[in-house]
């Protein structure tokens, strides 16, 4: 066998034995870039490495731009997370999760393929305190028994309804609906408990289901989709027949 044939065969065998080399190089490059930014300990530099808007746990408001990120910096990041990132190992502390992005450790922070931050699930002490205050203020503006919840999930407006979903102490979900011209302090037209959450694949889209006799209420949250898709949709069925569908026209809280 001549040298040319040996070389070709060796290249083919190498390509089959190392199918992830190119993907690993891109993933490591993105992580290394972000680690370099964090090591500078410059809030503005980190703010510039974020993909906006950056959502936070309801009822904390979204961060729309770098200026807002710097203003809320201590609510979003702390030395514990930053030090962990700066001293992390690309191979053991970071994981490529397909189309969802690049995950740090157990999901406290996520990057996209360009090394931009797309989610921060870590909570600082200052962020926890502010969120707790906002939840208590949120409870005070509701009527009666609606104040009994663990955390708000979302609040929407459709053409006809104001819809609110809360997580309850038993880890189930509650649905409350008002006519759109009414305020949350008023009694809702409908309250349903024992709701469930279902994720639609790995892209982030999910829905909440509630039942009342023959009626089934579903709130569908669109995390990904076409540019002109609404952020969500309400669908009501009776005996499995659709009787109402309304897209979300305004997001008051949540996604």
């Amino acid at each position: 066998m001549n040298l040319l044939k040996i070389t070709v065969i060796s290249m083919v065998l190498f390509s089959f034995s190392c199918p992830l080399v190119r993907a690993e190089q891109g993933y490591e490059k993105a992580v290394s870039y972000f680690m370099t930014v964090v090591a500078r300990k410059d809030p503005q530099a980190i703010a510039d490495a974020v993909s906006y808007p950056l959502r936070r746990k309801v009822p904390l408001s979204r961060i729309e731009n770098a200026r807002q990120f710097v203003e809320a910096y201590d609510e979003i990041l702390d030395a514990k997370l930053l030090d962990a990132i700066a001293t992390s190992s690309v191979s053991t502390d970071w994981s490529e999760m397909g189309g969802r992005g690049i995950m740090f450790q157990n999901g406290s922070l996520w990057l996209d393929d360009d090394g931009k931050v797309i989610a921060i699930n870590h909570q600082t002490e200052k962020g926890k305190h502010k969120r707790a205050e906002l939840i208590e203020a949120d409870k005070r503006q509701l009527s009666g028994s609606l104040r009994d919840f663990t955390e708000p999930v979302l609040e929407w407006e459709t053409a006809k309804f104001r819809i609110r979903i809360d997580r309850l102490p038993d880890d189930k979900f509650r649905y409350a609906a008002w006519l759109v011209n009414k305020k949350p302090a008023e009694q809702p037209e409908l309250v349903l408990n024992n709701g469930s959450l279902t994720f639609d694949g790995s892209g982030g889209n999910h829905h909440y289901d509630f039942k009342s006799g023959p009626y089934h209420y579903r709130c569908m949250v669109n995390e990904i989709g076409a540019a002109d898709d609404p952020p969500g949709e309400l669908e009501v069925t009776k005996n499995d027949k659709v009787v109402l569908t309304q897209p979300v026209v305004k997001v008051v809280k949540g996604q």
Side-chain angles (χ1 to χ4, degrees):
M1 187 178 295
N2 62 38
L3 181 61
L4 177 59
K5 288 183 178 179
I6 293 174
T7 302
V8 171
I9 292 172
S10 299
M11 291 174 64
V12 171
L13 290 175
F14 180 79
S15 66
F16 279 103
S17 64
C18 304
L20 299 179
V21 169
R22 184 172 298 175
E24 288 175 352
Q25 287 176 342
Y27 145 72
E28 291 176 357
K29 181 179 178 181
V31 172
S32 297
Y33 158 77
F34 183 66
M35 289 175 61
T36 300
V37 172
V38 169
R40 294 168 57 186
K41 298 183 179 180
D42 179 358
Q44 185 62 55
I46 297 175
D48 291 338
V50 175
S51 178
Y52 297 100
L54 180 68
R55 290 199 298 271
R56 298 193 287 172
K57 279 194 169 186
V58 180
L60 292 168
S61 59
R62 298 194 317 177
I63 302 296
E64 301 289 348
N65 51 53
R67 177 184 59 79
Q68 290 182 2
F69 187 96
V70 173
E71 290 174 352
Y73 187 78
D74 292 339
E75 296 173 11
I76 303 168
L77 297 172
D78 56 20
K80 180 180 179 180
L81 179 61
L82 294 174
D83 289 345
I85 292 172
T87 59
S88 64
S89 165
V90 176
S91 59
T92 60
D93 292 322
W94 298 83
S95 304
E96 204 168 17
M97 306 299 288
R100 297 177 61 189
I102 304 166
M103 180 178 72
F104 177 59
Q105 293 182 347
N106 61 350
S108 56
L109 183 141
W110 290 74
L111 303 177
D112 64 15
D113 292 338
D114 295 321
K116 291 271 191 175
V117 177
I118 54 175
I120 300 176
N121 297 315
H122 175 78
Q123 284 191 289
T124 68
E125 289 303 316
K126 187 172 182 179
K128 288 178 184 178
H129 182 70
K130 181 172 182 178
R131 184 169 184 258
E133 287 183 336
L134 291 174
I135 289 175
E136 288 306 310
D138 194 22
K139 289 180 177 181
R140 289 194 294 271
Q141 56 95 32
L142 292 171
S143 64
S145 62
L146 291 183
R147 296 178 181 178
D148 183 22
F149 64 86
T150 301
E151 62 180 1
V153 174
L154 61 80
E155 189 172 334
W156 286 345
E157 288 183 8
T158 70
K160 290 182 64 176
F161 301 107
R162 175 186 291 269
I163 297 165
R164 180 185 175 107
I165 296 178
D166 295 301
R167 186 188 297 271
L168 301 180
D170 61 2
D171 214 30
K172 293 290 187 178
F173 297 91
R174 180 183 63 208
Y175 171 100
W178 298 257
L179 294 176
V180 73
N181 59 350
K182 290 193 174 183
K183 296 180 179 180
E186 301 180 68
Q187 284 294 331
E189 272 66 42
L190 178 65
V191 177
L192 300 173
N193 295 306
N194 296 316
S196 61
L197 166 63
T198 303
F199 284 91
D200 307 313
S202 60
N205 289 355
H206 55 283
H207 61 266
Y208 298 88
D209 290 306
F210 304 86
K211 293 182 179 180
S212 177
Y215 290 94
H216 179 188
Y217 295 76
R218 174 168 288 182
C219 293
M220 295 173 280
V221 181
N222 297 324
E223 295 275 3
I224 59 172
D228 57 350
D229 284 346
E233 186 174 17
L234 168 66
E235 178 185 85
V236 182
T237 61
K238 181 180 181 182
N239 295 321
D240 297 326
K241 182 179 179 180
V242 176
V243 295
L244 173 72
T245 58
Q246 287 197 352
V248 174
V249 296
K250 181 181 178 181
V251 176
V252 181
K253 290 187 182 75
Q255 169 62 16

mmCIF file with all atom_site columns, all heavy atoms in Angstrom, residues 12 29 68 78 83 96 105 122 132 139 143 154 195 222 233 240 248 250:
data_model
loop_
_atom_site.group_PDB
_atom_site.id
_atom_site.type_symbol
_atom_site.label_atom_id
_atom_site.label_alt_id
_atom_site.label_comp_id
_atom_site.label_asym_id
_atom_site.label_entity_id
_atom_site.label_seq_id
_atom_site.pdbx_PDB_ins_code
_atom_site.Cartn_x
_atom_site.Cartn_y
_atom_site.Cartn_z
_atom_site.occupancy
_atom_site.B_iso_or_equiv
_atom_site.pdbx_formal_charge
_atom_site.auth_seq_id
_atom_site.auth_comp_id
_atom_site.auth_asym_id
_atom_site.auth_atom_id
_atom_site.pdbx_PDB_model_num
ATOM 1   N N   . VAL A 1 12  ? -9.594  9.435  7.016  1.00 0.00 ? 12  VAL A N   1
ATOM 2   C CA  . VAL A 1 12  ? -10.984 8.985  7.128  1.00 0.00 ? 12  VAL A CA  1
ATOM 3   C C   . VAL A 1 12  ? -11.251 8.402  8.505  1.00 0.00 ? 12  VAL A C   1
ATOM 4   O O   . VAL A 1 12  ? -12.247 8.702  9.163  1.00 0.00 ? 12  VAL A O   1
ATOM 5   C CB  . VAL A 1 12  ? -11.307 7.942  6.023  1.00 0.00 ? 12  VAL A CB  1
ATOM 6   C CG1 . VAL A 1 12  ? -12.670 7.309  6.279  1.00 0.00 ? 12  VAL A CG1 1
ATOM 7   C CG2 . VAL A 1 12  ? -11.259 8.596  4.658  1.00 0.00 ? 12  VAL A CG2 1
ATOM 8   N N   . LYS A 1 29  ? -14.715 27.895 22.657 1.00 0.00 ? 29  LYS A N   1
ATOM 9   C CA  . LYS A 1 29  ? -14.397 29.284 22.307 1.00 0.00 ? 29  LYS A CA  1
ATOM 10  C C   . LYS A 1 29  ? -15.399 30.237 22.925 1.00 0.00 ? 29  LYS A C   1
ATOM 11  O O   . LYS A 1 29  ? -15.030 31.286 23.474 1.00 0.00 ? 29  LYS A O   1
ATOM 12  C CB  . LYS A 1 29  ? -14.377 29.434 20.782 1.00 0.00 ? 29  LYS A CB  1
ATOM 13  C CG  . LYS A 1 29  ? -14.025 30.833 20.308 1.00 0.00 ? 29  LYS A CG  1
ATOM 14  C CD  . LYS A 1 29  ? -14.001 30.894 18.792 1.00 0.00 ? 29  LYS A CD  1
ATOM 15  C CE  . LYS A 1 29  ? -13.691 32.303 18.299 1.00 0.00 ? 29  LYS A CE  1
ATOM 16  N NZ  . LYS A 1 29  ? -13.699 32.370 16.810 1.00 0.00 ? 29  LYS A NZ  1
ATOM 17  N N   . GLN A 1 68  ? -29.851 49.104 31.974 1.00 0.00 ? 68  GLN A N   1
ATOM 18  C CA  . GLN A 1 68  ? -30.666 48.537 33.045 1.00 0.00 ? 68  GLN A CA  1
ATOM 19  C C   . GLN A 1 68  ? -29.921 47.413 33.765 1.00 0.00 ? 68  GLN A C   1
ATOM 20  O O   . GLN A 1 68  ? -30.064 47.238 34.978 1.00 0.00 ? 68  GLN A O   1
ATOM 21  C CB  . GLN A 1 68  ? -31.989 48.013 32.484 1.00 0.00 ? 68  GLN A CB  1
ATOM 22  C CG  . GLN A 1 68  ? -32.928 49.104 32.017 1.00 0.00 ? 68  GLN A CG  1
ATOM 23  C CD  . GLN A 1 68  ? -34.255 48.549 31.516 1.00 0.00 ? 68  GLN A CD  1
ATOM 24  O OE1 . GLN A 1 68  ? -34.495 47.339 31.555 1.00 0.00 ? 68  GLN A OE1 1
ATOM 25  N NE2 . GLN A 1 68  ? -35.123 49.419 31.038 1.00 0.00 ? 68  GLN A NE2 1
ATOM 26  N N   . ASP A 1 78  ? -23.527 38.106 41.784 1.00 0.00 ? 78  ASP A N   1
ATOM 27  C CA  . ASP A 1 78  ? -22.767 38.333 43.015 1.00 0.00 ? 78  ASP A CA  1
ATOM 28  C C   . ASP A 1 78  ? -21.412 37.638 42.895 1.00 0.00 ? 78  ASP A C   1
ATOM 29  O O   . ASP A 1 78  ? -21.138 36.906 41.929 1.00 0.00 ? 78  ASP A O   1
ATOM 30  C CB  . ASP A 1 78  ? -23.532 37.848 44.249 1.00 0.00 ? 78  ASP A CB  1
ATOM 31  C CG  . ASP A 1 78  ? -23.942 36.379 44.161 1.00 0.00 ? 78  ASP A CG  1
ATOM 32  O OD1 . ASP A 1 78  ? -23.346 35.626 43.362 1.00 0.00 ? 78  ASP A OD1 1
ATOM 33  O OD2 . ASP A 1 78  ? -24.873 35.986 44.885 1.00 0.00 ? 78  ASP A OD2 1
ATOM 34  N N   . ASP A 1 83  ? -17.114 34.350 40.765 1.00 0.00 ? 83  ASP A N   1
ATOM 35  C CA  . ASP A 1 83  ? -15.880 33.622 41.078 1.00 0.00 ? 83  ASP A CA  1
ATOM 36  C C   . ASP A 1 83  ? -15.949 32.183 40.563 1.00 0.00 ? 83  ASP A C   1
ATOM 37  O O   . ASP A 1 83  ? -14.952 31.635 40.085 1.00 0.00 ? 83  ASP A O   1
ATOM 38  C CB  . ASP A 1 83  ? -15.624 33.621 42.582 1.00 0.00 ? 83  ASP A CB  1
ATOM 39  C CG  . ASP A 1 83  ? -15.220 34.993 43.113 1.00 0.00 ? 83  ASP A CG  1
ATOM 40  O OD1 . ASP A 1 83  ? -14.863 35.856 42.285 1.00 0.00 ? 83  ASP A OD1 1
ATOM 41  O OD2 . ASP A 1 83  ? -15.270 35.202 44.337 1.00 0.00 ? 83  ASP A OD2 1
ATOM 42  N N   . GLU A 1 96  ? -22.875 21.603 26.654 1.00 0.00 ? 96  GLU A N   1
ATOM 43  C CA  . GLU A 1 96  ? -23.610 22.021 25.473 1.00 0.00 ? 96  GLU A CA  1
ATOM 44  C C   . GLU A 1 96  ? -24.933 21.270 25.441 1.00 0.00 ? 96  GLU A C   1
ATOM 45  O O   . GLU A 1 96  ? -24.964 20.043 25.462 1.00 0.00 ? 96  GLU A O   1
ATOM 46  C CB  . GLU A 1 96  ? -22.792 21.721 24.224 1.00 0.00 ? 96  GLU A CB  1
ATOM 47  C CG  . GLU A 1 96  ? -23.152 22.587 23.035 1.00 0.00 ? 96  GLU A CG  1
ATOM 48  C CD  . GLU A 1 96  ? -22.121 22.457 21.927 1.00 0.00 ? 96  GLU A CD  1
ATOM 49  O OE1 . GLU A 1 96  ? -21.333 21.501 21.946 1.00 0.00 ? 96  GLU A OE1 1
ATOM 50  O OE2 . GLU A 1 96  ? -22.115 23.322 21.046 1.00 0.00 ? 96  GLU A OE2 1
ATOM 51  N N   . GLN A 1 105 ? -22.731 24.621 35.052 1.00 0.00 ? 105 GLN A N   1
ATOM 52  C CA  . GLN A 1 105 ? -23.017 23.753 36.194 1.00 0.00 ? 105 GLN A CA  1
ATOM 53  C C   . GLN A 1 105 ? -24.456 23.229 36.125 1.00 0.00 ? 105 GLN A C   1
ATOM 54  O O   . GLN A 1 105 ? -24.844 22.591 35.156 1.00 0.00 ? 105 GLN A O   1
ATOM 55  C CB  . GLN A 1 105 ? -22.694 24.471 37.499 1.00 0.00 ? 105 GLN A CB  1
ATOM 56  C CG  . GLN A 1 105 ? -21.194 24.726 37.648 1.00 0.00 ? 105 GLN A CG  1
ATOM 57  C CD  . GLN A 1 105 ? -20.807 25.383 38.949 1.00 0.00 ? 105 GLN A CD  1
ATOM 58  O OE1 . GLN A 1 105 ? -21.634 25.893 39.686 1.00 0.00 ? 105 GLN A OE1 1
ATOM 59  N NE2 . GLN A 1 105 ? -19.518 25.390 39.257 1.00 0.00 ? 105 GLN A NE2 1
ATOM 60  N N   . HIS A 1 122 ? -29.444 32.013 38.724 1.00 0.00 ? 122 HIS A N   1
ATOM 61  C CA  . HIS A 1 122 ? -28.867 32.254 40.048 1.00 0.00 ? 122 HIS A CA  1
ATOM 62  C C   . HIS A 1 122 ? -29.559 33.454 40.687 1.00 0.00 ? 122 HIS A C   1
ATOM 63  O O   . HIS A 1 122 ? -29.867 34.448 40.023 1.00 0.00 ? 122 HIS A O   1
ATOM 64  C CB  . HIS A 1 122 ? -27.371 32.543 39.898 1.00 0.00 ? 122 HIS A CB  1
ATOM 65  C CG  . HIS A 1 122 ? -26.700 32.913 41.177 1.00 0.00 ? 122 HIS A CG  1
ATOM 66  N ND1 . HIS A 1 122 ? -26.337 31.987 42.131 1.00 0.00 ? 122 HIS A ND1 1
ATOM 67  C CD2 . HIS A 1 122 ? -26.316 34.130 41.656 1.00 0.00 ? 122 HIS A CD2 1
ATOM 68  C CE1 . HIS A 1 122 ? -25.753 32.607 43.136 1.00 0.00 ? 122 HIS A CE1 1
ATOM 69  N NE2 . HIS A 1 122 ? -25.724 33.908 42.875 1.00 0.00 ? 122 HIS A NE2 1
ATOM 70  N N   . ALA A 1 132 ? -39.081 39.053 46.992 1.00 0.00 ? 132 ALA A N   1
ATOM 71  C CA  . ALA A 1 132 ? -40.010 38.788 48.095 1.00 0.00 ? 132 ALA A CA  1
ATOM 72  C C   . ALA A 1 132 ? -40.879 40.015 48.379 1.00 0.00 ? 132 ALA A C   1
ATOM 73  O O   . ALA A 1 132 ? -42.091 39.896 48.619 1.00 0.00 ? 132 ALA A O   1
ATOM 74  C CB  . ALA A 1 132 ? -39.243 38.372 49.343 1.00 0.00 ? 132 ALA A CB  1
ATOM 75  N N   . LYS A 1 139 ? -49.545 40.534 46.302 1.00 0.00 ? 139 LYS A N   1
ATOM 76  C CA  . LYS A 1 139 ? -50.639 39.912 47.053 1.00 0.00 ? 139 LYS A CA  1
ATOM 77  C C   . LYS A 1 139 ? -51.613 40.951 47.586 1.00 0.00 ? 139 LYS A C   1
ATOM 78  O O   . LYS A 1 139 ? -52.836 40.737 47.583 1.00 0.00 ? 139 LYS A O   1
ATOM 79  C CB  . LYS A 1 139 ? -50.074 39.077 48.208 1.00 0.00 ? 139 LYS A CB  1
ATOM 80  C CG  . LYS A 1 139 ? -49.360 37.811 47.778 1.00 0.00 ? 139 LYS A CG  1
ATOM 81  C CD  . LYS A 1 139 ? -48.828 37.036 48.978 1.00 0.00 ? 139 LYS A CD  1
ATOM 82  C CE  . LYS A 1 139 ? -48.169 35.733 48.544 1.00 0.00 ? 139 LYS A CE  1
ATOM 83  N NZ  . LYS A 1 139 ? -47.671 34.938 49.682 1.00 0.00 ? 139 LYS A NZ  1
ATOM 84  N N   . SER A 1 143 ? -57.740 40.370 45.644 1.00 0.00 ? 143 SER A N   1
ATOM 85  C CA  . SER A 1 143 ? -58.867 40.229 46.570 1.00 0.00 ? 143 SER A CA  1
ATOM 86  C C   . SER A 1 143 ? -58.794 38.902 47.323 1.00 0.00 ? 143 SER A C   1
ATOM 87  O O   . SER A 1 143 ? -58.335 37.891 46.782 1.00 0.00 ? 143 SER A O   1
ATOM 88  C CB  . SER A 1 143 ? -60.192 40.289 45.799 1.00 0.00 ? 143 SER A CB  1
ATOM 89  O OG  . SER A 1 143 ? -60.297 39.192 44.905 1.00 0.00 ? 143 SER A OG  1
ATOM 90  N N   . LEU A 1 154 ? -47.722 34.244 35.691 1.00 0.00 ? 154 LEU A N   1
ATOM 91  C CA  . LEU A 1 154 ? -47.928 35.140 34.556 1.00 0.00 ? 154 LEU A CA  1
ATOM 92  C C   . LEU A 1 154 ? -49.226 35.905 34.741 1.00 0.00 ? 154 LEU A C   1
ATOM 93  O O   . LEU A 1 154 ? -50.112 35.510 35.503 1.00 0.00 ? 154 LEU A O   1
ATOM 94  C CB  . LEU A 1 154 ? -47.939 34.363 33.228 1.00 0.00 ? 154 LEU A CB  1
ATOM 95  C CG  . LEU A 1 154 ? -49.003 33.279 32.992 1.00 0.00 ? 154 LEU A CG  1
ATOM 96  C CD1 . LEU A 1 154 ? -50.355 33.864 32.568 1.00 0.00 ? 154 LEU A CD1 1
ATOM 97  C CD2 . LEU A 1 154 ? -48.527 32.296 31.937 1.00 0.00 ? 154 LEU A CD2 1
ATOM 98  N N   . GLY A 1 195 ? -54.189 23.162 38.622 1.00 0.00 ? 195 GLY A N   1
ATOM 99  C CA  . GLY A 1 195 ? -53.652 23.211 37.269 1.00 0.00 ? 195 GLY A CA  1
ATOM 100 C C   . GLY A 1 195 ? -52.306 22.517 37.169 1.00 0.00 ? 195 GLY A C   1
ATOM 101 O O   . GLY A 1 195 ? -51.592 22.336 38.162 1.00 0.00 ? 195 GLY A O   1
ATOM 102 N N   . ASN A 1 222 ? -45.574 30.796 24.346 1.00 0.00 ? 222 ASN A N   1
ATOM 103 C CA  . ASN A 1 222 ? -44.688 30.659 23.191 1.00 0.00 ? 222 ASN A CA  1
ATOM 104 C C   . ASN A 1 222 ? -43.330 31.279 23.487 1.00 0.00 ? 222 ASN A C   1
ATOM 105 O O   . ASN A 1 222 ? -43.154 32.491 23.398 1.00 0.00 ? 222 ASN A O   1
ATOM 106 C CB  . ASN A 1 222 ? -45.307 31.329 21.957 1.00 0.00 ? 222 ASN A CB  1
ATOM 107 C CG  . ASN A 1 222 ? -46.609 30.690 21.536 1.00 0.00 ? 222 ASN A CG  1
ATOM 108 O OD1 . ASN A 1 222 ? -46.777 29.468 21.635 1.00 0.00 ? 222 ASN A OD1 1
ATOM 109 N ND2 . ASN A 1 222 ? -47.553 31.493 21.065 1.00 0.00 ? 222 ASN A ND2 1
ATOM 110 N N   . GLU A 1 233 ? -51.416 32.148 24.167 1.00 0.00 ? 233 GLU A N   1
ATOM 111 C CA  . GLU A 1 233 ? -52.775 31.997 23.655 1.00 0.00 ? 233 GLU A CA  1
ATOM 112 C C   . GLU A 1 233 ? -53.629 31.256 24.680 1.00 0.00 ? 233 GLU A C   1
ATOM 113 O O   . GLU A 1 233 ? -53.164 30.331 25.346 1.00 0.00 ? 233 GLU A O   1
ATOM 114 C CB  . GLU A 1 233 ? -52.757 31.218 22.340 1.00 0.00 ? 233 GLU A CB  1
ATOM 115 C CG  . GLU A 1 233 ? -54.111 31.141 21.650 1.00 0.00 ? 233 GLU A CG  1
ATOM 116 C CD  . GLU A 1 233 ? -54.013 30.492 20.274 1.00 0.00 ? 233 GLU A CD  1
ATOM 117 O OE1 . GLU A 1 233 ? -52.988 29.835 19.999 1.00 0.00 ? 233 GLU A OE1 1
ATOM 118 O OE2 . GLU A 1 233 ? -54.955 30.644 19.480 1.00 0.00 ? 233 GLU A OE2 1
ATOM 119 N N   . ASP A 1 240 ? -63.912 18.394 24.499 1.00 0.00 ? 240 ASP A N   1
ATOM 120 C CA  . ASP A 1 240 ? -62.863 18.269 23.477 1.00 0.00 ? 240 ASP A CA  1
ATOM 121 C C   . ASP A 1 240 ? -63.134 19.051 22.195 1.00 0.00 ? 240 ASP A C   1
ATOM 122 O O   . ASP A 1 240 ? -62.411 18.904 21.203 1.00 0.00 ? 240 ASP A O   1
ATOM 123 C CB  . ASP A 1 240 ? -62.619 16.792 23.121 1.00 0.00 ? 240 ASP A CB  1
ATOM 124 C CG  . ASP A 1 240 ? -62.113 15.999 24.306 1.00 0.00 ? 240 ASP A CG  1
ATOM 125 O OD1 . ASP A 1 240 ? -61.371 16.579 25.121 1.00 0.00 ? 240 ASP A OD1 1
ATOM 126 O OD2 . ASP A 1 240 ? -62.460 14.808 24.430 1.00 0.00 ? 240 ASP A OD2 1
ATOM 127 N N   . VAL A 1 248 ? -52.757 36.352 23.171 1.00 0.00 ? 248 VAL A N   1
ATOM 128 C CA  . VAL A 1 248 ? -52.378 37.358 24.170 1.00 0.00 ? 248 VAL A CA  1
ATOM 129 C C   . VAL A 1 248 ? -52.012 38.654 23.441 1.00 0.00 ? 248 VAL A C   1
ATOM 130 O O   . VAL A 1 248 ? -51.230 38.638 22.506 1.00 0.00 ? 248 VAL A O   1
ATOM 131 C CB  . VAL A 1 248 ? -51.196 36.856 25.007 1.00 0.00 ? 248 VAL A CB  1
ATOM 132 C CG1 . VAL A 1 248 ? -50.693 37.942 25.947 1.00 0.00 ? 248 VAL A CG1 1
ATOM 133 C CG2 . VAL A 1 248 ? -51.577 35.605 25.776 1.00 0.00 ? 248 VAL A CG2 1
ATOM 134 N N   . LYS A 1 250 ? -51.278 41.513 25.456 1.00 0.00 ? 250 LYS A N   1
ATOM 135 C CA  . LYS A 1 250 ? -50.396 42.254 26.371 1.00 0.00 ? 250 LYS A CA  1
ATOM 136 C C   . LYS A 1 250 ? -49.925 41.318 27.456 1.00 0.00 ? 250 LYS A C   1
ATOM 137 O O   . LYS A 1 250 ? -50.722 40.597 28.062 1.00 0.00 ? 250 LYS A O   1
ATOM 138 C CB  . LYS A 1 250 ? -51.133 43.440 26.996 1.00 0.00 ? 250 LYS A CB  1
ATOM 139 C CG  . LYS A 1 250 ? -50.269 44.262 27.944 1.00 0.00 ? 250 LYS A CG  1
ATOM 140 C CD  . LYS A 1 250 ? -51.057 45.422 28.551 1.00 0.00 ? 250 LYS A CD  1
ATOM 141 C CE  . LYS A 1 250 ? -50.211 46.225 29.527 1.00 0.00 ? 250 LYS A CE  1
ATOM 142 N NZ  . LYS A 1 250 ? -50.973 47.347 30.130 1.00 0.00 ? 250 LYS A NZ  1
#
